[in-house]
Amino acid sequence: MQNTPVTLKYLAEKLKMSISTVSKALNNYPTINEFTKKRVQDLATELHFTPNKSAINLKQGRSKIIGIILPNLLDHFFTRSVYGLEQFASKHGYNVIISQSHDSLEKEIQSANMLLQTRVDGLIVAISKHTQDFSHFNEFEKMGTPVVYYTRNPSFNLSCHKVLCNTFQGAYQATKFLIERGHQNIAYLGGPKMISFTHDRFNGYIHALKDHGIPFSAELVAYTDFDKESTITAIKNLFSSEDKIPTALVAFKEPILFDAMKYLRSVNHPNFQQLECIGFGNTSFISYFNSPPVASIEENPESVGENAMKLLLQLLNRNIETNDYQKILVDCKLVVH
Amino acid sequence: MQNTPVTLKYLAEKLKMSISTVSKALNNYPTINEFTKKRVQDLATELHFTPNKSAINLKQGRSKIIGIILPNLLDHFFTRSVYGLEQFASKHGYNVIISQSHDSLEKEIQSANMLLQTRVDGLIVAISKHTQDFSHFNEFEKMGTPVVYYTRNPSFNLSCHKVLCNTFQGAYQATKFLIERGHQNIAYLGGPKMISFTHDRFNGYIHALKDHGIPFSAELVAYTDFDKESTITAIKNLFSSEDKIPTALVAFKEPILFDAMKYLRSVNHPNFQQLECIGFGNTSFISYFNSPPVASIEENPESVGENAMKLLLQLLNRNIETNDYQKILVDCKLVVH
DNA sequence: GCTATTATTTCAAACGTTTGAAATATAGTT
DNA sequence: AACTATATTTCAAACGTTTGAAATAATAGC
């Protein structure tokens, strides 16, 4: 036996007043008598009245929901960014729906459609690895729903709002730090070339070298595709050179660094114990290592998330014009262990 | 200049037919002429018609959304469980809204209210550490919205549906494994006593000892509250005994184990290198350790999530009666490294 | 060419809100 | 007592769908 649902109508009948009075009382309209308000609000809490969001959304044409599409929730970067996103959103009366694309374009499109149907007020996206075409996000713009891209940078010439890690600066700092510790042979282990910020990071490394008068050596650079095998191949290459043996290493991402370390340790590489490394990420597990790395490049994911949400809400409130495309860079911070 | 929204009404006008025909055509009603259906569907895709979920929810009285409340998304157990939850849900046409309680009762109540307003069709909850009182979930039951508790077990006498890790079996297996490797002095490092399954794990440990004729020794048991200091205190206690020096250790959670290992390493404890450890969790980072642990207790979070969602959908479809309270245990698996 | 079937389309109410305009009640002035 | 000004409440339409019942159109049988 289902209870009759507690709606405005039901409250109105109980109180022998009109639905609109009840509605306005609950929404604290100034034209409603204080005594009436109290009567209504008391009954509402007594009967646990819970406004139906669907009805409100339908009527108001806005959902107070922000959609988030991101590759996955296993990567701590994203979960930490969600923290920032959610916190900022809820402080401003918005809820958040998170949808994982699992780095598949197809799932990303599905997610986009789902969020379109939900009529989210805005969208924040970290695109999947394979996203080259952005037409599935066009509908949002057409409906006047602002979209902010974060972390994963859509192809450079697409006019859009973006919030990114200042990954150039991160790599620069890390390299500089290692130089200042006296290293000359600093290797760079880069990520997949298809990821937008791969180049920025590499540039940070290069510029740091140049600014400190250290010649660039191609033998000290290798790339991995994230998988273990290619990381090992890359690390083999880096350490196979005759004259230039790295004494320090800047890595694209800490898990890559871990794989690399594990390999060097397993082959008992003579330089392993002295090697000083820095990776992007600042994983919580890093402190459990007894050998390198010496520092981490903290990308401040919470701040990235918060900035993305902040920008989105500014677009929603029309504090920023839709076509006044913004690019926000969030600085990295070198954390020395 | 906002476009006029593409609604059923708009399509109907364009096609010079009634709204109901359009609606039924899109929903593939058998009474609608095939040719008409095609005309409607073609225009709908051409104009990117996207049904308004709020309107549908309102009309149908169901949202096809399942609410998830969990402590946080930083713990890999939960993110992995979300994977299972989401996957199973979307296979059955449901979407998922995740809300983090950050282990605060207040936020948990807020989340519950939000999901109540959203009129989720069902709720899956891993309660916060501090939740003793469950009245904020009563409203769901009252509205006929089924609730499934998972992982974090609400106080035993509350009649409810639950899906739990078979944490007893996990601890039992781990202890047995260590016994079979020849250990006699197996220590147990437990978690906070307020967490429901602390006792189950301890019992698994105890039973394995008993079944293998190894006497229980209170000196080999200590508890931590998750924070570093209390872990270190606990580990100091375990290794301070005169006669019973642990040669193996079962830990409540891997991060605790990491803290413990780090401490033992830092003090250069003589038994550190030989110590064999097993913790609950199977963190991906575990493989980067060069010393213990030797195995992990894999809790199969994806499966826990999937089972919770499965149970919930069965309740929704009335394949299981609401008051026929279910308790599902998902077995752990010992993963040897 | 009429009726009986059957196929197809349309009507109209409902879901639970919000909100400006209109109606009514109350108090204040003369 | 009549009128005005103000305070408070109600009316009624709208948001975008769904859906059973009613209406209409098309086809077949004679």
Side-chain angles (χ1 to χ4, degrees), chain A residues 97-126:
Chain A
I97 295 186
I98 302 158
S99 191
Q100 304 185 59
S101 70
H102 296 294
D103 259 325
S104 129
L105 178 57
E106 192 197 338
K107 265 235 65 189
E108 184 175 283
I109 295 176
Q110 271 179 30
S111 300
N113 283 336
M114 185 275 269
L115 294 172
L116 218 39
Q117 297 191 357
T118 306
R119 299 289 192 273
V120 292
D121 290 347
L123 185 68
I124 295 180
V125 194

PDB file of all heavy atoms in Angstrom, chain A residues 97-126:
ATOM      1  N   ILE A  97      26.498  15.579 -12.139  1.00  0.00           N
ATOM      2  CA  ILE A  97      26.372  14.194 -12.590  1.00  0.00           C
ATOM      3  C   ILE A  97      27.654  13.826 -13.318  1.00  0.00           C
ATOM      4  O   ILE A  97      28.050  14.511 -14.255  1.00  0.00           O
ATOM      5  CB  ILE A  97      25.184  13.992 -13.548  1.00  0.00           C
ATOM      6  CG1 ILE A  97      23.871  14.249 -12.827  1.00  0.00           C
ATOM      7  CG2 ILE A  97      25.185  12.569 -14.091  1.00  0.00           C
ATOM      8  CD1 ILE A  97      22.660  13.941 -13.665  1.00  0.00           C
ATOM      9  N   ILE A  98      28.280  12.761 -12.855  1.00  0.00           N
ATOM     10  CA  ILE A  98      29.554  12.342 -13.434  1.00  0.00           C
ATOM     11  C   ILE A  98      29.332  11.160 -14.353  1.00  0.00           C
ATOM     12  O   ILE A  98      28.630  10.215 -14.005  1.00  0.00           O
ATOM     13  CB  ILE A  98      30.534  11.910 -12.327  1.00  0.00           C
ATOM     14  CG1 ILE A  98      30.754  13.049 -11.357  1.00  0.00           C
ATOM     15  CG2 ILE A  98      31.846  11.446 -12.936  1.00  0.00           C
ATOM     16  CD1 ILE A  98      31.254  12.588 -10.013  1.00  0.00           C
ATOM     17  N   SER A  99      29.934  11.219 -15.510  1.00  0.00           N
ATOM     18  CA  SER A  99      29.813  10.107 -16.435  1.00  0.00           C
ATOM     19  C   SER A  99      31.192   9.737 -16.969  1.00  0.00           C
ATOM     20  O   SER A  99      31.935  10.594 -17.422  1.00  0.00           O
ATOM     21  CB  SER A  99      28.883  10.514 -17.577  1.00  0.00           C
ATOM     22  OG  SER A  99      28.545   9.405 -18.333  1.00  0.00           O
ATOM     23  N   GLN A 100      31.534   8.484 -16.877  1.00  0.00           N
ATOM     24  CA  GLN A 100      32.855   8.034 -17.303  1.00  0.00           C
ATOM     25  C   GLN A 100      32.825   7.586 -18.761  1.00  0.00           C
ATOM     26  O   GLN A 100      31.948   6.841 -19.166  1.00  0.00           O
ATOM     27  CB  GLN A 100      33.321   6.845 -16.459  1.00  0.00           C
ATOM     28  CG  GLN A 100      33.350   7.092 -14.974  1.00  0.00           C
ATOM     29  CD  GLN A 100      33.930   5.916 -14.199  1.00  0.00           C
ATOM     30  OE1 GLN A 100      35.057   5.519 -14.417  1.00  0.00           O
ATOM     31  NE2 GLN A 100      33.151   5.360 -13.284  1.00  0.00           N
ATOM     32  N   SER A 101      33.787   8.045 -19.524  1.00  0.00           N
ATOM     33  CA  SER A 101      33.837   7.615 -20.927  1.00  0.00           C
ATOM     34  C   SER A 101      34.722   6.389 -21.102  1.00  0.00           C
ATOM     35  O   SER A 101      34.733   5.784 -22.170  1.00  0.00           O
ATOM     36  CB  SER A 101      34.362   8.746 -21.803  1.00  0.00           C
ATOM     37  OG  SER A 101      35.734   8.948 -21.539  1.00  0.00           O
ATOM     38  N   HIS A 102      35.459   6.050 -20.077  1.00  0.00           N
ATOM     39  CA  HIS A 102      36.415   4.946 -20.167  1.00  0.00           C
ATOM     40  C   HIS A 102      37.292   5.091 -21.413  1.00  0.00           C
ATOM     41  O   HIS A 102      37.625   4.110 -22.077  1.00  0.00           O
ATOM     42  CB  HIS A 102      35.699   3.602 -20.150  1.00  0.00           C
ATOM     43  CG  HIS A 102      34.985   3.354 -18.867  1.00  0.00           C
ATOM     44  ND1 HIS A 102      35.636   3.190 -17.676  1.00  0.00           N
ATOM     45  CD2 HIS A 102      33.665   3.308 -18.565  1.00  0.00           C
ATOM     46  CE1 HIS A 102      34.755   3.017 -16.699  1.00  0.00           C
ATOM     47  NE2 HIS A 102      33.546   3.100 -17.209  1.00  0.00           N
ATOM     48  N   ASP A 103      37.573   6.327 -21.708  1.00  0.00           N
ATOM     49  CA  ASP A 103      38.430   6.662 -22.842  1.00  0.00           C
ATOM     50  C   ASP A 103      37.946   6.076 -24.161  1.00  0.00           C
ATOM     51  O   ASP A 103      38.745   5.795 -25.059  1.00  0.00           O
ATOM     52  CB  ASP A 103      39.874   6.207 -22.568  1.00  0.00           C
ATOM     53  CG  ASP A 103      40.740   7.401 -22.142  1.00  0.00           C
ATOM     54  OD1 ASP A 103      40.512   8.499 -22.663  1.00  0.00           O
ATOM     55  OD2 ASP A 103      41.630   7.222 -21.298  1.00  0.00           O
ATOM     56  N   SER A 104      36.632   5.916 -24.245  1.00  0.00           N
ATOM     57  CA  SER A 104      36.079   5.461 -25.520  1.00  0.00           C
ATOM     58  C   SER A 104      35.188   6.553 -26.098  1.00  0.00           C
ATOM     59  O   SER A 104      34.364   7.142 -25.398  1.00  0.00           O
ATOM     60  CB  SER A 104      35.275   4.177 -25.309  1.00  0.00           C
ATOM     61  OG  SER A 104      33.990   4.274 -25.871  1.00  0.00           O
ATOM     62  N   LEU A 105      35.393   6.832 -27.365  1.00  0.00           N
ATOM     63  CA  LEU A 105      34.616   7.889 -28.009  1.00  0.00           C
ATOM     64  C   LEU A 105      33.135   7.555 -27.987  1.00  0.00           C
ATOM     65  O   LEU A 105      32.279   8.399 -27.725  1.00  0.00           O
ATOM     66  CB  LEU A 105      35.092   8.076 -29.451  1.00  0.00           C
ATOM     67  CG  LEU A 105      34.323   9.123 -30.253  1.00  0.00           C
ATOM     68  CD1 LEU A 105      34.366  10.480 -29.579  1.00  0.00           C
ATOM     69  CD2 LEU A 105      34.880   9.229 -31.669  1.00  0.00           C
ATOM     70  N   GLU A 106      32.851   6.286 -28.238  1.00  0.00           N
ATOM     71  CA  GLU A 106      31.451   5.855 -28.284  1.00  0.00           C
ATOM     72  C   GLU A 106      30.750   6.123 -26.952  1.00  0.00           C
ATOM     73  O   GLU A 106      29.654   6.696 -26.912  1.00  0.00           O
ATOM     74  CB  GLU A 106      31.405   4.360 -28.601  1.00  0.00           C
ATOM     75  CG  GLU A 106      30.032   3.865 -28.962  1.00  0.00           C
ATOM     76  CD  GLU A 106      29.965   2.342 -28.863  1.00  0.00           C
ATOM     77  OE1 GLU A 106      31.024   1.686 -28.922  1.00  0.00           O
ATOM     78  OE2 GLU A 106      28.855   1.816 -28.678  1.00  0.00           O
ATOM     79  N   LYS A 107      31.416   5.738 -25.850  1.00  0.00           N
ATOM     80  CA  LYS A 107      30.810   5.960 -24.539  1.00  0.00           C
ATOM     81  C   LYS A 107      30.722   7.448 -24.248  1.00  0.00           C
ATOM     82  O   LYS A 107      29.806   7.916 -23.591  1.00  0.00           O
ATOM     83  CB  LYS A 107      31.620   5.246 -23.453  1.00  0.00           C
ATOM     84  CG  LYS A 107      31.088   3.868 -23.103  1.00  0.00           C
ATOM     85  CD  LYS A 107      30.822   3.754 -21.595  1.00  0.00           C
ATOM     86  CE  LYS A 107      29.710   4.684 -21.138  1.00  0.00           C
ATOM     87  NZ  LYS A 107      29.540   4.774 -19.708  1.00  0.00           N
ATOM     88  N   GLU A 108      31.670   8.193 -24.760  1.00  0.00           N
ATOM     89  CA  GLU A 108      31.637   9.637 -24.539  1.00  0.00           C
ATOM     90  C   GLU A 108      30.402  10.251 -25.203  1.00  0.00           C
ATOM     91  O   GLU A 108      29.737  11.123 -24.637  1.00  0.00           O
ATOM     92  CB  GLU A 108      32.914  10.270 -25.089  1.00  0.00           C
ATOM     93  CG  GLU A 108      33.030  11.751 -24.828  1.00  0.00           C
ATOM     94  CD  GLU A 108      34.382  12.288 -25.305  1.00  0.00           C
ATOM     95  OE1 GLU A 108      35.380  12.064 -24.601  1.00  0.00           O
ATOM     96  OE2 GLU A 108      34.426  12.903 -26.384  1.00  0.00           O
ATOM     97  N   ILE A 109      30.109   9.763 -26.388  1.00  0.00           N
ATOM     98  CA  ILE A 109      28.929  10.257 -27.095  1.00  0.00           C
ATOM     99  C   ILE A 109      27.663   9.870 -26.351  1.00  0.00           C
ATOM    100  O   ILE A 109      26.751  10.680 -26.170  1.00  0.00           O
ATOM    101  CB  ILE A 109      28.916   9.714 -28.539  1.00  0.00           C
ATOM    102  CG1 ILE A 109      30.115  10.292 -29.312  1.00  0.00           C
ATOM    103  CG2 ILE A 109      27.610  10.047 -29.244  1.00  0.00           C
ATOM    104  CD1 ILE A 109      30.266   9.751 -30.719  1.00  0.00           C
ATOM    105  N   GLN A 110      27.620   8.636 -25.897  1.00  0.00           N
ATOM    106  CA  GLN A 110      26.480   8.186 -25.084  1.00  0.00           C
ATOM    107  C   GLN A 110      26.289   9.088 -23.869  1.00  0.00           C
ATOM    108  O   GLN A 110      25.177   9.516 -23.572  1.00  0.00           O
ATOM    109  CB  GLN A 110      26.725   6.769 -24.566  1.00  0.00           C
ATOM    110  CG  GLN A 110      26.262   5.661 -25.474  1.00  0.00           C
ATOM    111  CD  GLN A 110      26.593   4.307 -24.855  1.00  0.00           C
ATOM    112  OE1 GLN A 110      26.642   4.145 -23.641  1.00  0.00           O
ATOM    113  NE2 GLN A 110      26.825   3.318 -25.700  1.00  0.00           N
ATOM    114  N   SER A 111      27.378   9.344 -23.181  1.00  0.00           N
ATOM    115  CA  SER A 111      27.308  10.190 -21.989  1.00  0.00           C
ATOM    116  C   SER A 111      26.769  11.564 -22.351  1.00  0.00           C
ATOM    117  O   SER A 111      25.911  12.110 -21.659  1.00  0.00           O
ATOM    118  CB  SER A 111      28.690  10.343 -21.369  1.00  0.00           C
ATOM    119  OG  SER A 111      29.210   9.094 -21.001  1.00  0.00           O
ATOM    120  N   ALA A 112      27.278  12.092 -23.445  1.00  0.00           N
ATOM    121  CA  ALA A 112      26.841  13.420 -23.871  1.00  0.00           C
ATOM    122  C   ALA A 112      25.337  13.419 -24.124  1.00  0.00           C
ATOM    123  O   ALA A 112      24.624  14.328 -23.684  1.00  0.00           O
ATOM    124  CB  ALA A 112      27.595  13.843 -25.119  1.00  0.00           C
ATOM    125  N   ASN A 113      24.849  12.378 -24.780  1.00  0.00           N
ATOM    126  CA  ASN A 113      23.422  12.333 -25.068  1.00  0.00           C
ATOM    127  C   ASN A 113      22.594  12.214 -23.791  1.00  0.00           C
ATOM    128  O   ASN A 113      21.554  12.865 -23.657  1.00  0.00           O
ATOM    129  CB  ASN A 113      23.106  11.159 -25.997  1.00  0.00           C
ATOM    130  CG  ASN A 113      23.499  11.484 -27.409  1.00  0.00           C
ATOM    131  OD1 ASN A 113      23.573  12.657 -27.785  1.00  0.00           O
ATOM    132  ND2 ASN A 113      23.767  10.457 -28.201  1.00  0.00           N
ATOM    133  N   MET A 114      23.082  11.409 -22.904  1.00  0.00           N
ATOM    134  CA  MET A 114      22.391  11.255 -21.627  1.00  0.00           C
ATOM    135  C   MET A 114      22.267  12.595 -20.924  1.00  0.00           C
ATOM    136  O   MET A 114      21.207  12.982 -20.457  1.00  0.00           O
ATOM    137  CB  MET A 114      23.188  10.236 -20.797  1.00  0.00           C
ATOM    138  CG  MET A 114      22.581   9.835 -19.476  1.00  0.00           C
ATOM    139  SD  MET A 114      22.968  10.935 -18.107  1.00  0.00           S
ATOM    140  CE  MET A 114      24.459  10.193 -17.431  1.00  0.00           C
ATOM    141  N   LEU A 115      23.370  13.329 -20.909  1.00  0.00           N
ATOM    142  CA  LEU A 115      23.377  14.612 -20.202  1.00  0.00           C
ATOM    143  C   LEU A 115      22.546  15.658 -20.939  1.00  0.00           C
ATOM    144  O   LEU A 115      21.978  16.557 -20.328  1.00  0.00           O
ATOM    145  CB  LEU A 115      24.817  15.092 -20.020  1.00  0.00           C
ATOM    146  CG  LEU A 115      25.647  14.193 -19.104  1.00  0.00           C
ATOM    147  CD1 LEU A 115      27.110  14.601 -19.113  1.00  0.00           C
ATOM    148  CD2 LEU A 115      25.092  14.218 -17.689  1.00  0.00           C
ATOM    149  N   LEU A 116      22.469  15.486 -22.232  1.00  0.00           N
ATOM    150  CA  LEU A 116      21.626  16.369 -23.034  1.00  0.00           C
ATOM    151  C   LEU A 116      20.165  16.163 -22.654  1.00  0.00           C
ATOM    152  O   LEU A 116      19.402  17.116 -22.477  1.00  0.00           O
ATOM    153  CB  LEU A 116      21.850  16.018 -24.507  1.00  0.00           C
ATOM    154  CG  LEU A 116      21.894  17.088 -25.569  1.00  0.00           C
ATOM    155  CD1 LEU A 116      22.611  18.328 -25.107  1.00  0.00           C
ATOM    156  CD2 LEU A 116      22.530  16.533 -26.828  1.00  0.00           C
ATOM    157  N   GLN A 117      19.786  14.913 -22.515  1.00  0.00           N
ATOM    158  CA  GLN A 117      18.402  14.599 -22.141  1.00  0.00           C
ATOM    159  C   GLN A 117      18.085  15.091 -20.738  1.00  0.00           C
ATOM    160  O   GLN A 117      16.973  15.503 -20.465  1.00  0.00           O
ATOM    161  CB  GLN A 117      18.173  13.095 -22.203  1.00  0.00           C
ATOM    162  CG  GLN A 117      18.350  12.534 -23.584  1.00  0.00           C
ATOM    163  CD  GLN A 117      17.865  11.105 -23.680  1.00  0.00           C
ATOM    164  OE1 GLN A 117      17.447  10.495 -22.703  1.00  0.00           O
ATOM    165  NE2 GLN A 117      17.922  10.549 -24.876  1.00  0.00           N
ATOM    166  N   THR A 118      19.096  15.029 -19.886  1.00  0.00           N
ATOM    167  CA  THR A 118      18.896  15.491 -18.515  1.00  0.00           C
ATOM    168  C   THR A 118      18.797  17.013 -18.481  1.00  0.00           C
ATOM    169  O   THR A 118      18.402  17.584 -17.485  1.00  0.00           O
ATOM    170  CB  THR A 118      20.073  15.011 -17.636  1.00  0.00           C
ATOM    171  OG1 THR A 118      20.205  13.595 -17.783  1.00  0.00           O
ATOM    172  CG2 THR A 118      19.856  15.323 -16.185  1.00  0.00           C
ATOM    173  N   ARG A 119      19.133  17.648 -19.586  1.00  0.00           N
ATOM    174  CA  ARG A 119      19.108  19.111 -19.666  1.00  0.00           C
ATOM    175  C   ARG A 119      19.984  19.743 -18.590  1.00  0.00           C
ATOM    176  O   ARG A 119      19.537  20.616 -17.835  1.00  0.00           O
ATOM    177  CB  ARG A 119      17.681  19.641 -19.522  1.00  0.00           C
ATOM    178  CG  ARG A 119      16.702  19.185 -20.597  1.00  0.00           C
ATOM    179  CD  ARG A 119      17.000  19.837 -21.934  1.00  0.00           C
ATOM    180  NE  ARG A 119      15.931  19.647 -22.892  1.00  0.00           N
ATOM    181  CZ  ARG A 119      15.820  18.580 -23.701  1.00  0.00           C
ATOM    182  NH1 ARG A 119      16.705  17.602 -23.644  1.00  0.00           N
ATOM    183  NH2 ARG A 119      14.826  18.498 -24.569  1.00  0.00           N
ATOM    184  N   VAL A 120      21.231  19.235 -18.522  1.00  0.00           N
ATOM    185  CA  VAL A 120      22.164  19.864 -17.593  1.00  0.00           C
ATOM    186  C   VAL A 120      22.336  21.329 -17.970  1.00  0.00           C
ATOM    187  O   VAL A 120      22.200  21.700 -19.123  1.00  0.00           O
ATOM    188  CB  VAL A 120      23.533  19.150 -17.620  1.00  0.00           C
ATOM    189  CG1 VAL A 120      23.428  17.757 -17.058  1.00  0.00           C
ATOM    190  CG2 VAL A 120      24.112  19.114 -19.029  1.00  0.00           C
ATOM    191  N   ASP A 121      22.623  22.137 -16.973  1.00  0.00           N
ATOM    192  CA  ASP A 121      22.780  23.565 -17.232  1.00  0.00           C
ATOM    193  C   ASP A 121      24.134  23.886 -17.841  1.00  0.00           C
ATOM    194  O   ASP A 121      24.322  24.957 -18.413  1.00  0.00           O
ATOM    195  CB  ASP A 121      22.606  24.354 -15.932  1.00  0.00           C
ATOM    196  CG  ASP A 121      21.163  24.313 -15.462  1.00  0.00           C
ATOM    197  OD1 ASP A 121      20.292  23.904 -16.248  1.00  0.00           O
ATOM    198  OD2 ASP A 121      20.911  24.686 -14.301  1.00  0.00           O
ATOM    199  N   GLY A 122      25.073  22.973 -17.661  1.00  0.00           N
ATOM    200  CA  GLY A 122      26.408  23.199 -18.202  1.00  0.00           C
ATOM    201  C   GLY A 122      27.160  21.893 -18.251  1.00  0.00           C
ATOM    202  O   GLY A 122      26.732  20.895 -17.657  1.00  0.00           O
ATOM    203  N   LEU A 123      28.264  21.911 -18.974  1.00  0.00           N
ATOM    204  CA  LEU A 123      29.007  20.663 -19.156  1.00  0.00           C
ATOM    205  C   LEU A 123      30.496  20.930 -18.965  1.00  0.00           C
ATOM    206  O   LEU A 123      31.027  21.917 -19.471  1.00  0.00           O
ATOM    207  CB  LEU A 123      28.753  20.128 -20.567  1.00  0.00           C
ATOM    208  CG  LEU A 123      29.365  18.770 -20.900  1.00  0.00           C
ATOM    209  CD1 LEU A 123      28.690  17.670 -20.110  1.00  0.00           C
ATOM    210  CD2 LEU A 123      29.239  18.490 -22.394  1.00  0.00           C
ATOM    211  N   ILE A 124      31.134  20.024 -18.246  1.00  0.00           N
ATOM    212  CA  ILE A 124      32.587  20.081 -18.095  1.00  0.00           C
ATOM    213  C   ILE A 124      33.153  18.761 -18.590  1.00  0.00           C
ATOM    214  O   ILE A 124      32.696  17.698 -18.170  1.00  0.00           O
ATOM    215  CB  ILE A 124      32.976  20.327 -16.622  1.00  0.00           C
ATOM    216  CG1 ILE A 124      32.486  21.710 -16.188  1.00  0.00           C
ATOM    217  CG2 ILE A 124      34.476  20.222 -16.439  1.00  0.00           C
ATOM    218  CD1 ILE A 124      32.822  22.063 -14.754  1.00  0.00           C
ATOM    219  N   VAL A 125      34.099  18.834 -19.516  1.00  0.00           N
ATOM    220  CA  VAL A 125      34.575  17.627 -20.165  1.00  0.00           C
ATOM    221  C   VAL A 125      36.087  17.496 -20.145  1.00  0.00           C
ATOM    222  O   VAL A 125      36.807  18.447 -20.443  1.00  0.00           O
ATOM    223  CB  VAL A 125      34.185  17.606 -21.663  1.00  0.00           C
ATOM    224  CG1 VAL A 125      34.375  16.208 -22.226  1.00  0.00           C
ATOM    225  CG2 VAL A 125      32.781  18.077 -21.881  1.00  0.00           C
ATOM    226  N   ALA A 126      36.548  16.314 -19.801  1.00  0.00           N
ATOM    227  CA  ALA A 126      37.919  15.918 -20.103  1.00  0.00           C
ATOM    228  C   ALA A 126      37.778  14.849 -21.183  1.00  0.00           C
ATOM    229  O   ALA A 126      37.305  13.749 -20.921  1.00  0.00           O
ATOM    230  CB  ALA A 126      38.613  15.362 -18.865  1.00  0.00           C
TER     231      ALA A 126
END
